[in-house]
């Protein structure tokens, strides 16, 4: 089998390339070469997906049994890529997002839930940003899905809709922030109910399913963790991974925490109060062969990667994350006072 990975040097794309090579698959990657690094053993094709000449040269490097696109954000660019590769590729696997759903993160979702409307020839920035709700990112991903389906057809297309992906090389740094916070120890602001279910998925599990579908399983799939993992499981695993010196202080009244102006998703990474944030059904993917490892394994392996000197590609979104020690301490003092006043503690 011979596959082409569009991307291949960052988080998911790099993991797909590594796992494919380990499975004995021949791998070519297509990227500009401005950041990241290549997996050992890949055939690198340098180029820009917005350059027609580069796309023509990429097609000449075919045929490919499958294209796995991890770097598609602008629909009209995806149309051009798909049109260039359609004559020389059997199947196109697009890594999309749960952000394509109209109802995310407000309501539970399945693959049958309505998605945002975006034409397959839309340019960058199409749509609008809600808080919470739709985003230009989600509109763009929805348009990219339409572009692939338009060119390759449903019987030759795979659409993967992961939620949050964690693990070694994760570049936004959500799990890394929690691990580093636990390492500092002391009283740690833990948001919400520790029994709240969560669905982050390990990058290696997404990569394995991408390769599986590339070989034999067209369709549209939500790719989220299943089982009974909770936010308590995740934060306890982070604390244990770094030595268990932190004292988790659970602020269980989420509306009180929102009232303090704490930014969901960013100031306390992965914390979100909305009903649908962690309610994306992945039964269809599981029936097709998807499985996920426990969050404790993802946490331990991420910490091991960081301790071994792992460093992510610098990404602009990483600067959005985290609450300062001073603000965290101030909120915990307010929470102590609130409990005394309202709960008699």
């Amino acid at each position: 089998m011979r596959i082409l990975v569009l991307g291949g040097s960052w988080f998911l794309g790099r993991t797909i390339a590594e796992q494919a090579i380990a499975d004995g698959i021949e791998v070519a990657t297509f990227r500009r070469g401005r950041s990241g690094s290549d997996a050992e053993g890949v055939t690198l094709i340098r180029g820009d997906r917005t350059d027609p000449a580069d796309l023509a040269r990429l097609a000449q490097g075919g045929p490919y049994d499958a294209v796995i696109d991890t770097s598609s954000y602008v629909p009209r660019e995806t149309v051009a890529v798909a049109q260039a590769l359609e004559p020389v590729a059997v199947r196109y696997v697009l890594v999309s997002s749960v952000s394509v759903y109209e109802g995310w993160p407000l309501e539970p979702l399945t693959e049958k839930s309505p998605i945002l409307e975006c034409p397959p020839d839309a340019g960058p920035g199409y749509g609008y940003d809600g808080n919470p709700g739709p985003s230009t990112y989600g509109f763009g991903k929805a348009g990219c899905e339409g572009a692939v389906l338009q060119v390759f057809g449903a019987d030759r297309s795979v659409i993967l809709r992961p939620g949050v992906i964690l693990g070694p090389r994760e570049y936004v740094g959500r799990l890394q922030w929690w691990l580093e916070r636990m390492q500092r120890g002391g009283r740690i602001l833990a948001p919400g109910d520790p029994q709240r279910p969560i669905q982050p998925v390990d990058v290696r599990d997404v990569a394995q399913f991408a390769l599986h579908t590339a070989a034999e399983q067209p369709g549209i799939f939500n790719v989220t963790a299943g089982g009974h993992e909770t936010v308590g499981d995740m934060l306890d695993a982070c604390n244990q991974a770094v030595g268990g010196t932190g004292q988790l202080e659970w602020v269980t009244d989420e509306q009180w925490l929102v009232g303090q102006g704490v930014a969901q998703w960013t100031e306390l990474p992965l914390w979100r109060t909305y009903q649908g944030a962690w309610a994306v059904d992945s039964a269809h993917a599981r029936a097709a062969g998807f499985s996920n490892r426990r969050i404790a394994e993802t946490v331990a392996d991420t910490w091991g990667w960081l301790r071994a000197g792992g460093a992510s590609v610098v990404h602009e979104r990483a600067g959005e994350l985290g609450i300062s020690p001073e603000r965290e301490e101030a909120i915990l003092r307010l929470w102590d006072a609130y409990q005394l006043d309202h709960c008699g503690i």
Side-chain angles (χ1 to χ4, degrees), residues 4 6-7 65 73 120 136 150 170-171 177 228 254 256-257 282 285-286 297 301 305 335 342:
L4 170 66
L6 303 182
D65 294 294
Y73 304 99
T136 53
Q150 174 182 286
E170 191 249 319
Y171 54 81
W177 186 87
H228 305 285
E254 291 187 312
W256 179 89
L257 193 55
S282 59
R286 294 179 191 286
E297 182 178 346
D301 290 350
W305 169 72
W335 175 243
H342 292 78

Side-chain angles (χ1 to χ4, degrees), residues 130-148:
N131 186 25
S135 62
T136 53
Y137 171 78
F139 277 103
K141 283 291 192 180
C144 291
E145 289 186 9
V148 171

